[in-house]
Amino acid sequence: MISSPALMIEARGVEKWYPNGFHALRGVDLCVHQGEVVVIMGPSGSGKSTFLRTFNAMEDFQKGSIVVDGIEISDDLRRIDAIRREVGMVFQQFNLFPHLTVLDNLTLAPVKVRKRPKAEVERQALELLERVGIAEQAHKFPGQLSGGQQQRVAIARSLCMEPRIMLFDEPTSALDPEMVQEVLAVMQELARDGMTMVVVSHEVRFARKVASRVVLMADGEVVEVAPPQQFFTNPRHERSKQFLSQIS
Amino acid sequence: MISSPALMIEARGVEKWYPNGFHALRGVDLCVHQGEVVVIMGPSGSGKSTFLRTFNAMEDFQKGSIVVDGIEISDDLRRIDAIRREVGMVFQQFNLFPHLTVLDNLTLAPVKVRKRPKAEVERQALELLERVGIAEQAHKFPGQLSGGQQQRVAIARSLCMEPRIMLFDEPTSALDPEMVQEVLAVMQELARDGMTMVVVSHEVRFARKVASRVVLMADGEVVEVAPPQQFFTNPRHERSKQFLSQIS
Amino acid sequence: SDGGGVQSQKMAAIKARGSLICGVDGKLPGFSFVSPDGSYSGLDVDICKATAAAVLSDPAKVTYRDLSATERFAALSSGEVDLLSRNTTMTLSRDAPGGNALAFAPTTFFDGQAVMVPATSGIRSLKDVAGKPICVETGTASELNLADRMRELNATYTPLKFQSGDQTYAAYLQGRCVAVTTDRSQLAAKRTGFPKPSEHILLPDVLSKEPLNPATVNADPAWADAVRWVVYSLIQAEEMGITAANIDAKVAEAKANKNLAQLRRFFGVEGDLGKQLGLPADFVVRTVKAVGNYGEVFERNVGTGSPLKLERGVNQQWRQGGLMYSPPFL
Amino acid sequence: MTSRSEVTPWWRNRRYLPWLVQGAVALVIGVVVAFLLTNLLLNLTARGLLLSWSWLGQPAGFDLAETILPFDASLPYWRAMLAGLVNTLRVVIAGLVGATVLGTLIGTASFSSNGLLRRLARVYVEVIRNIPLLLQLIFWYFVVFLALPNGRDALQLPGLVLAKSGLFLGSPELVDGVWQAPLRFTVEFGALLTGLVVYTAAFIAEVVRGGIASVPKGQWEAATSLGFPPLLTLRRIVLPQALRVIVPGLNSQYISLAKNSSLAVACGFTDLYSVSETTLNQTGRAIEVMLILLGSYLVIDLVISALMNGLNGLVQLRER
Amino acid sequence: MASTAPLVVRASPLRRLQKELFGSRLDGLISIALLAALLAAALGFFRWALFQAQWAVLSANSTLFAVGRYPVEQQWRLWLLTTLLALATGLSWGLLRAFPGSGAVRALWPRNDRWAAAILGVLALWRPMALQLTLAIQARWWGIAGLLLLARWAAGRYGPAIPQAFRRLIPLLWPLLYLVGMVLISGGLGLVQVPPSEWGGLLLTVLMATFAILLCFPLGVLLALGRRSELPLLRWGSVIYIEFIRGAPLITLLFLGQNILGFLLPGGLAPDRVWRAAWVLTFFAAAYVAEAVRSGLVAVPAGQLEAARSLGLSVPLALVHVVLPQALRVALPATVGQFISLLQDTTLLSLIGLLDLLGTARTVMANPMFLGKNAEVYLVLAILFWSCCAALGLGSRALETRLNPHSPSAPQA
Ligand SMILES: Nc1ncnc2c1ncn2[C@@H]1O[C@H](COP(=O)(O)OP(=O)(O)OP(=O)(O)O)[C@@H](O)[C@H]1O
Ligand SMILES: Nc1ncnc2c1ncn2[C@@H]1O[C@H](COP(=O)(O)OP(=O)(O)OP(=O)(O)O)[C@@H](O)[C@H]1O
Ligand SMILES: [Mg+2]
Ligand SMILES: [Mg+2]
C-alpha cells in the first residue's frame, strides 16, 4: 500500500441537480491516482462535463464528497482557491483571452493570483510555449493563431499555474481534423511526464495509447471503468457496447 | 449559313476596370449560339463571374461591345430592361427572397415586372416547380428547404420569366455534395430542352456530358475555347493543362 | 448676547458663509440685470447689496442666483437662497403659513399689471384683445390675473406661455402675439430696449395691484425683521434727506450734536436699535453708504434718468403724496 | 456538500457570501432610502405639503393656449393636466409618423445611385445628430417660424394659409386681423413638430440604413437580374427583410421622441410638462406633480414598447 | 489575345461626376433639383451672413459666453488652466504619434495632423480677430495655440527618447490636470473661492459635461455588471434603476433634482443647484452608459469568465483583467455615443435657469441691445456643439481602429 501512488481525486456518491431540477449526476464514484490518465467517454448529455467541472469546484453538487489532492471540496472559499491552484482545466472552446498576447495569456494568472515576479513567469511561460511547440507565436494575439495552436496555448496557460492535475473537456472536438493530432501529441507528452489527467474525449486512438483507465458515463452515472485494452475490445456492459458501436 | 443557329451572345474585346482601378477583363471575346451550353472554367479571381455578369448588364464595362439576342448593351435603361427580360441568372448563393414563400418567389417578378395576371403565373410556376421536382414545397419558405431544393427553386424562379438565355454562376459550389447531383440533373434537362446556357462551373462531369464548348479564363482573358472532349483530354495551352491538373 | 440674544439661524449661517445668497431675476433691466462684464445692477440688486452691507458690512458679499418664476419659492423655502429679491408680488396666499409661508419685507416698488401692445395695432383697451393671442410668462401671478380679468370681461383669448421673460418678449416683438402682459414697471423696462420704444403703448387697464416686495421665509422671523428694517432704513433715509453723498457729514453732525436724538438713534450713535435686530448698530449708515437712500436707488435704476424713464408716481415719499412710508426708528 | 464536520466561517462560504453581499447592499440602499424618505416626510410636514390629491379638483385659474379638450380657467387642475397630456400625445403621434416617413426617405436615399443625394443624406444625418435638440427647437421657433409673415401678408394658397400664428386649413379667412379656419395648427405646435421630426429622422435614417445594409447584396442582384427596377426592389424585396433589423431600432427612437416632446416648453407649446410646471408653480405640489409627470411618460413609453414589440413579432414571423 | 500591359485607369473625375449625378434621367432631375436647392440655400445664407447678420452680439459678449460671470480679477486662473490644457493636449497628441498603434507607420506629421494643425492655426489666428477681442487677449490665444503646436512637435520628435517608466505616467497627467482644474476654477487651497453660481457659458457646459462623463462611466459599468449579476437583488435593483431613468425625460429629472432634492436632504445639506444638476446629469447618463456596457458584456462569451475562474482568478480580478477589457472595447462606440448625447443634453440646464452656453445665450438675448439677434447666436452655438460632438465621434472611431489592429478575423496564413 505504501508504494501505491497517492490518490489525487476521490469522488464518492456525487449527486447533482441543476437549479431547474435536472438530475445531472446520480451518485458517481471515481478515484484517480497520481500519474494516471483517466479518459471519460459517454453519449452527449450524460454528465461528463458536469462531473469534470465538479473536480475544480466550477460546479457545486448536493450530495456526496470529492477530495482533491487531500483537500475536500466544500463551500469554503479558501479551500476552493487551494483546489483551483492544484487543478488546471482546458476547454473545448480554448477560451483564450483575445485581448491579450499569447504570452500575457500565460502570465496573467501567475502574476495576478500567485503574485509571482513577472520576469520569472515570463521565462517559464516561454519554456512552456517551447514545450508545446509554439514559442515563436508568443507575441501574437490568439485571433492570429490556428485552432490547434490556440488549444496548445490553452494547455500551456494551465501548465503555467503549475497544477498537479489537469482536466481536459473535449479538447479536440472544436478542431479541424488536421489539428487534432498536434494537440493530442502535446497531451501525450504531458502524460508521459507523469501529469495526472482526466480527459473527456472520444479519441479512441488517444485513449488506447495513453489512458490508464477509461470511464463510460451514461445518464449521469458511471457505467463502466476499465483499462482501455479491455474497454475497447471486450466491454462488460451492454451500454458500453452500444456506445462503442456508435462512435466507431 | 442560313441553317446555323442564331447568335445569342456576342462579346467583342470587352475590357473592364473596377472602380478601384483593378483591370478585371482584358479584352475578352465570346460567341454563344442558340441552344449552346458554354461552360466557363478558370482559377479563382480570373474574372469568370465578372464576365458572366456583363451579359445581363449587372456589371458595366469600359471598352468593347456585347450584343445579346440582337440588342447591344449600352447605358440606355430601356435596352438594359429588354436584355434582362431575355436573360435569366442563377447565383452561387441562391439568393431566394427569404420573406416570401417559394411560390411567391417565382411569381413576384412576372406579376410585378411583366404585369402578367397572377393566376396564370401561378399555374406556370407550379408547372415549373413540378419540372424541377419540388412541387410539394410551393408554400414553404426558402429557409425551410435544403440547399439543393433552394437552388432548384432559384432555377425555376429564373425560368418563370421565360428567358431565352440562362446564366449560372457556380450554381453547385455552395451545396453539400449529395445535393449537387439533383441540381445538375435539372440543368442537364434544361440543356436537353434547347435552352441557351452559359455556366460558370468546375463540374467536369457535367461539362463533359452537356457542354457544347468549354472556355478557360485566366487573369481576365480567355485562354482557350474548345469542345469538352478536346479540352479535357488534349488542351492546347499550357495554362489549361496547369488548370486541369489542379482541379482533378 | 449683544442683541438681546435674538440671533437668527439664517443670519448666523450667512455670517459663517461670509456671503448673502440673493435670488434675483437677472434678466430684468432696472431691477436685476447682468451687464456684459458680469456685474449685477438694479433696484432688486440694490436691496441685496444693502442687506449684505448691513449683515456683512460689505455690499459686494452677495452671491446672486438667477431664479425663474417657477423655481423662486422652492429655492427660498428649501433654504437655497437667503433672500428673494426678484420683483415678487406680495399676496395673501404667498404670505400665509398655509400658503407659501413667506415673510415679506416692505414694498420696494408699487406696481400694477398692465398690457402692452404695438401702437399701430389699433387696440386701445383690454376688450380689444379678445380673440387674439397674448404673451405671458408662465407661473406668474400675471397669468392668473389675466385669466381672471378676461373671464370677467367674458372674452376669449389665447394665452401664449413662455418659461422665461426673454422668450416672452422675443415672441411679442416678432409679432407672435398682439399683446404682452406683466407688471407695468417690467413692461416699461423692457420697452426701453425695444428697437423703437415709441411704437409700443401701455393700455390704461390695470389688471391688478402688484406690490413688489423682497421676501424671506416665515420660519425665521428674526431674519425677516432684519431684512424688513434694512428696507425701511432706505426709505427713512430719503425722508430725512440723507444721501450716500452727505451721510458722512450727517453722521459727523449727529455724533457732534447730542440734540439730534432722532438722527443719533437712526445712525446707531445712540441706543441699540441695530442690536435688537441682530445687526450692527450702524447698519443704517452701511446700507445708505452702499446704495444710497430709496430715492437714489429708484432714480439710479428705474427713474427718469435711467433708461426705464419711470415716474416716481405712487412710489413717491408719503409727504409727496406717495406710498413710501417708513415706521419710526424707535 | 451537506453535512460537514468542521464549520466553514461565513465570510469564506461561497453559499452564504452572495447573500451577505446582497444583504449589505440592501442594507445600504435601505438606510439611504429611509433617510431620504424621513427627510422628505419631515420637510413636507413642516410645509404642510403632505401627499394629497384633493387639489387636483380645484379650479386651475389659468388658461391654456391650444387644447383639443375644451378647457378654461374655471376647470380643475386635473383637466388642465389631461389637456396637456392630450397635446403631448398629439405631437408624439404626429412626430412618430413624420419622423418615420422622413427618416425612411433619408435612410434609403443613402443607397441612391445619385451621388449627390447619397452624400446629402449623410450630411443631413451627421449635421442633425450632432446639434442639441433644444437648440434646434429654439431655432425653429424663434428664427424660422416666428419670421413668417402675418395678417394680410401671410402665405396664402387655395384652402391653406401659413401665417405667424399658424397653419390654417379649410377655408381660412381674415377676421379682424386674425386668421380663422376650421382646422388650424399653431406655430408652437409646428416648431415643436418640425424640430422633433427633423431630429428624430436623422436617427431613424441611421436605423433604416443599418437595416437595409443588413440585407445581403445577393438579394439586390437577384432582383435586378429578374428585371426589378430599383424602387420596386427596395419596396418588395429589401425593406421587408430589413424590417427585422429596423423595428427594434425604431422602438428606442420612438421612445426618445416621446420623451423629447417634453422640450415643448422651449417653444411655448402647452404639453404635459409645461402644464405641470405651471401647476406646480401655482400649487406648490412638487411631489404629486412629479409623480403624475413621470407616471405619464412611463405609460407612454410602455405603450410604444408594447406596440413595437407586437410589430416586431409580426415582421419576425414572416421569416418562417 | 495580346493585351496591353496591366494598365490602371480610373474614370476621369469629370466622367465619374457625370455618372454619379446624371446616371439616369431620374438621377439627372434629382441632381438638378438638389443643386438648385443647394445653390439657393447657399446664396440666401451668404446674403444673410454677409449683409444682414450682426455679429456684434457675439464679440460684445464673448467673455460672458466663454466663462459667464466669472470674476474678472480671477480670470487669470482660467487662462492658466487653458495653457495647461493646451500643453497636455500637445504632449499627448505628439506621444500618440510617436508611438502609433501596431501596424501604423510612425510619422512626425501625418496628413491628418497637418490638416489639424493648419485648422488650429487658422482658428487661433482668425477667431479672436473676428470676435474683435482686444489685442492682449488675441495675443494670448496665439500664444496658447503656438504652445500647443510646440508641445506637439516636441513630444512627437523627442517622445521616443523618454524613458519608458516615465512615459507610463503620462496618461496620469489628465486626471491630475482635472483635479488641478477643479481647484483653479472653484478656488480653495489658498485661492479665492468662486462659487458655482458664477460659472457660466462654455466653462459651465464643459465642466458639467466632463464631470458627468467622468462619473457616469464607472457608475454605468457598475450598473451593467449589476444587471448581469446572478444575485437577484443586485440584478433587480439595477434593472429598476436603469428602466426608471430611461423611462423619464431628462427635463423632468432635472426639474425633480431642483425641486425635490431640497426636501430629501436635511436643510442646508443639499448641494448647490449647479452641482445638483450635475449629479442628475450623471445619474441620468449612467443608466444609458450601463445599457451600452451591457451590450459589450453580452458579447463576451461565458467561457472567458469560466477560464479565468479555473485559472484561480477571483471574480473581481477576472472582471477587471478579462471580461471588462473585452466588453468595453465592444461597447466603445455606443458609450461614446452616449457621451455625445450627454454633451448635447447639457443644454437642458438652460431650462432650469442655469447659465450654460444656451442659458447664457438666452440671458444675452434678454439684453435690450441684442434683442432679436437670435439667428447669429444660435448658429454659432450650433457650430460649436457640432464640432465638439463630431470630434468626439471621430475620436471614438480612431480609438476603435487603434484598439483593434488584431481583430480575430485576421487569422494567420
Ligand atoms: N445549467 C444547466 N441547467 C440545467 N441543465 C443543464 C445545465 N448544464 C447542463 N445541463 C444538462 O445536464 C446534462 C449533462 O450535461 P453535460 O454538459 O455534463 O453533458 P456532457 O456529457 O458533457 O455532454 P456533451 O458531450 O454534449 O458535452 C445535459 O442533459 C444538459 O442538458
Ligand atoms: N467590386 C469589385 N471591385 C474591385 N475588384 C473586384 C470587384 N469584384 C471583383 N473584383 C476582382 O475582380 C477579379 C475577378 O473577380 P471575379 O469574381 O469575376 O472572379 P471569378 O473568376 O468569378 O472568381 P471565383 O472563382 O472566386 O468566383 C478578382 O480578382 C476580384 O478580386
Ligand atoms: Mg460536455
Ligand atoms: Mg465567381
Side-chain angles (χ1 to χ4, degrees), chain A residues 7-15 25 27-33 40 50-52 54-56 61 63-73 198 213 217 222 225:
Chain A
L7 206 54
M8 292 300 280
I9 298 178
E10 185 183 5
R12 297 243 166 271
V14 176
E15 302 216 25
L25 299 178
V28 219
D29 300 308
L30 186 71
C31 292
V32 182
H33 292 266
I40 304 182
T50 308
F51 191 36
L52 197 71
T54 55
F55 296 162
N56 69 342
F61 50 93
K63 278 197 191 155
S65 74
I66 300 181
V67 181
V68 177
D69 200 15
I71 310 169
E72 178 164 7
I73 296 181
V198 183
R213 280 177 298 153
M217 286 188 70
V222 167
V225 183

Side-chain angles (χ1 to χ4, degrees), chain A residues 45 48-50 92 169-170 200:
Chain A
K48 306 181 296 292
S49 300
T50 308
Q92 176 178 352
D169 193 355
E170 312 206 22
V200 173

Side-chain angles (χ1 to χ4, degrees), chain C residues 69-71 73 77-78 131-132 138-140 143-144 147-148 151 157-163 167 170-171 174-176, chain D residues 47 60-65 73-74 141-142 146-147 150 164-165 176 178 186-188 265-268 277-278 281-282:
Chain C
T70 50
E71 63 189 353
F73 300 129
S77 57
S78 65
K132 304 202 169 101
T138 188
T140 55
E143 184 183 0
L144 299 183
D148 286 352
R151 221 164 0 141
Y157 70 109
T158 314
L160 282 172
K161 298 184 187 178
F162 295 91
Q163 226 201 351
Q167 291 178 341
Q174 302 222 42
R176 176 62 186 96
Chain D
R47 292 193 177 77
F62 53 81
D63 281 300
L64 297 177
S74 60
Y141 185 59
F142 284 101
L146 286 193
N150 211 356
K164 201 189 289 279
S165 46
D176 193 14
V178 180
T186 62
V187 285
E188 287 77 27
V265 276
C267 52
E277 210 183 45
T278 310
N281 195 60
Q282 305 292 8

